[in-house]
Structure formats: structure tokens, C-alpha cells
Amino acid sequence: MRPVDEVKSVLMIGFGAIGRHVATLLHPEISSGRLRLTALVRDLDKHAGHRNLGAELVQAEGPQDPNWAQLMAGSVIDVVVECAGVSAAKSYGPAATAAGIPLVLTSVGALADRPTRRALLDRPGDLHVTNGAIGGLDVLEAAAQAHALDSVSITTAKAPGGLVQPWMDAEEVRRLNQLSAADEPLTIFTGTPAEAIVKFPANVNITVALAWATRGLGVDAAADDELMETALERTRVEIRADLSQEDSHHHITAAGSAGVFEFSISSTPSPENPATSGLTALSVTRTLRTCLAGLKRN
């Protein structure tokens, strides 16, 4: 058994708005010396003003970067926590779990990509999926594991400014920018979580998290993969632009033999990134602490 007071080493992928918020929330552990936090960034100069958050910053371009290899081989990393977006999750996540290191996944949208999902699941390192900006998933997870859910849907409403995407044409951008508070909410997407995460990679990780929570009970990696594929096809997503919506609003409905479930959550956007919910960092921190607590018992 590992000593309870042993210093834990956490490697964070990315140090943007979410990562910095997580570092702030981890101040009790960092300041007391119980946790050592290292953050991997692409450009050290861009983070010159963020060195006061208790994290050692290391520059790396990807899993093939010598600095990443040195971290993996030259020090004991207890947990990797990804806070850098779907693309980074796809590249760094499988490398972490392949090394046998537990991974806390923030960009849950990566699980919509089947090769990435299989690589994350079929590795010696445990995968810990965060709930992100929504709660109440425990009851839906319980119902899904009992094969008692038939339908799952989520409607997300956000301010138009946080929904503008590079792929949108000039007319779509103009329509979003010209919405007024008096206008009805504008539906800009309907489809599946896998389709949504491609179009809105920074906005709808929660839709994939909902599918993951309601996939059911898998007995192994292959079963979890198949269940997730089915859940991604079953879960319905609607995204609305609503200028009157100051907070991110999510309305979830699910139904089956277990009953009908319906709940709504409004979360304040991150002050640094309006496309991201402020709840995300809280969820990541809780998941990380749970993961670290599990290590103490091993």
C-alpha cells in the first residue's frame, strides 16, 4: 500500500482556461506539498503570466516530442489530466493509457471517434470520464445499466457569440450576430453527439458525456465500445442560439421502463472562454481528486 502522505504527481495536458481554473481549485493540495502539478503547453511564452498558479510548465508539440517522452520515462506520473481539446485528447490520451497511467478525460467528445475510443479503452491505464457541465447523470447511468432507457435527448442553448464556428458561411455568421434579445431562440443544429462534436468541438462535449453515461454496463473494453456506439446513435442533440441566455442552458430528457426523467441545468460560462462552461473545471477537479483517492487505497 502506498503511503497516504506520498506526494502525487499530476501531468496536465494544456493550460488554457479550464486547466488554469483546475490549478486554482487544486491550490490546497499544491500549496501543502501533497500534489505536484506539471502542465504541458505548446508555447511557453504565451503562458509567461501563468507561472503563479503552482504548475511547472513544460513545452511539447505532441506525443512524439522528446519532452513528453522524458516525462513518461524520467519521472513517476500518477495521473494524466487532459484539458486541451478533442484534438489533443485524441493524440495524448491513448499514449497516456498505453503507458499504464490513469487518464482524466475532459474533452469527452474524443469518445465519439471510434478508433480513439477503442485506443483509450483497450489499454492498461484506467479511463476516468468527466461529466463536464451537466449533473444528475448518476440516475440515468443506473437506469441504462438496468436496460431501462429507450430514449435520451439534450437541448443546449447558448449565447450566439459562443457558437460561431470557422466552418460557417458569412450568412450563418451574420444571422447569429444579428440576433436580438426579442428574437426566438434559433436552432442551428439537430443530430447526434458524434455529428455535434465535429461541428462544435468546444461547445458540446457534454452531449458525448451524456451518451457515455447512458450507454449501459460493459463487461470489457469491446462491450463498452459497442454500447457507446449505440448510445451515440440513440442520443438526440439540439443546439440553439439564444441572446437572452446569459448562462449555458442544458435540458435533458430520458425515458424508458425506469420512468421519465427531465432536468435542466444553467451554468455560468468560463470568464476566460465563453464557449466553455464554468462548471467544467469543477467537474474535472472532482474527478481528478476521486482518481487520486483511489490511488491511495491501492
Side-chain angles (χ1 to χ4, degrees):
M1 180 178 293
R2 301 175 57 152
V4 173
D5 58 352
E6 182 179 344
V7 177
K8 296 298 183 292
S9 180
V10 173
L11 176 61
M12 179 179 288
I13 309 300
F15 207 53
I18 294 173
R20 294 194 296 272
H21 193 178
V22 170
T24 300
L25 293 168
L26 290 173
H27 176 73
E29 291 94 330
I30 296 173
S31 61
S32 66
R34 290 177 289 143
L35 187 148
R36 181 172 60 252
L37 179 63
T38 303
L40 214 61
V41 299
R42 293 180 64 89
D43 188 343
L44 284 175
D45 292 338
K46 289 184 178 180
H47 294 275
H50 303 144
R51 296 182 179 274
N52 62 337
L53 296 176
E56 177 188 358
L57 303 183
V58 176
Q59 184 167 306
E61 292 295 325
Q64 294 75 36
D65 193 290
N67 285 341
W68 166 266
Q70 184 177 1
L71 285 168
M72 291 293 99
S75 62
V76 178
I77 303 296
D78 291 295
V79 181
V80 171
V81 54
E82 172 277 315
C83 297
V86 171
S87 179
K90 288 181 177 180
S91 58
Y92 282 106
T97 54
I101 302 173
L103 172 70
V104 174
L105 183 66
T106 301
S107 304
V108 185
L111 294 175
D113 178 70
R114 196 162 200 179
T116 300
R117 183 170 72 245
R118 286 174 168 171
L120 289 171
L121 290 170
D122 193 21
R123 293 292 192 274
D126 292 334
L127 177 64
H128 300 264
V129 178
T130 63
N131 288 342
I134 54 176
L137 296 185
D138 52 344
V139 65
L140 299 185
E141 184 174 2
Q145 289 184 2
H147 308 287
L149 284 184
D150 299 320
S151 64
V152 180
S153 66
I154 178 170
T155 299
T156 292
K158 296 193 175 192
L163 292 170
V164 174
Q165 303 295 319
W167 53 262
M168 291 180 172
D169 59 33
E171 175 59 25
E172 287 178 291
V173 173
R174 183 198 65 77
R175 187 171 54 163
L176 285 173
N177 288 335
Q178 290 186 356
L179 282 177
S180 70
D183 290 329
E184 291 292 318
L186 176 66
T187 297
I188 61 173
F189 174 85
T190 56
T192 68
E195 295 165 340
I197 199 67
V198 171
K199 290 182 173 292
F200 302 90
N203 301 93
V204 293
N205 279 284
I206 56 171
T207 66
V208 182
L210 178 61
W212 176 258
T214 57
R215 73 194 185 283
L217 182 62
V219 296
D220 54 27
D224 258 338
D225 172 55
E226 289 294 339
L227 288 169
M228 182 58 171
E229 194 69 12
T230 300
L232 285 168
E233 295 171 358
R234 176 182 60 190
T235 306
R236 307 311 301 169
V237 179
E238 180 177 348
I239 302 174
R240 297 175 179 173
D242 186 353
L243 193 61
S244 66
Q245 190 67 57
E246 295 182 2
D247 302 330
S248 297
H249 183 78
H250 311 287
H251 186 79
I252 296 171
T253 59
S257 60
V260 177
F261 308 91
E262 186 171 359
F263 53 94
S264 297
I265 297 173
S266 291
S267 59
T268 305
S270 165
E272 294 192 59
N273 182 2
T276 300
S277 168
L279 279 178
T280 302
L282 278 65
S283 176
V284 174
T285 304
R286 177 186 177 278
T287 304
L288 176 58
R289 283 175 172 152
T290 301
C291 178
L292 290 170
L295 293 179
K296 292 178 182 179
R297 293 191 292 268
N298 294 334

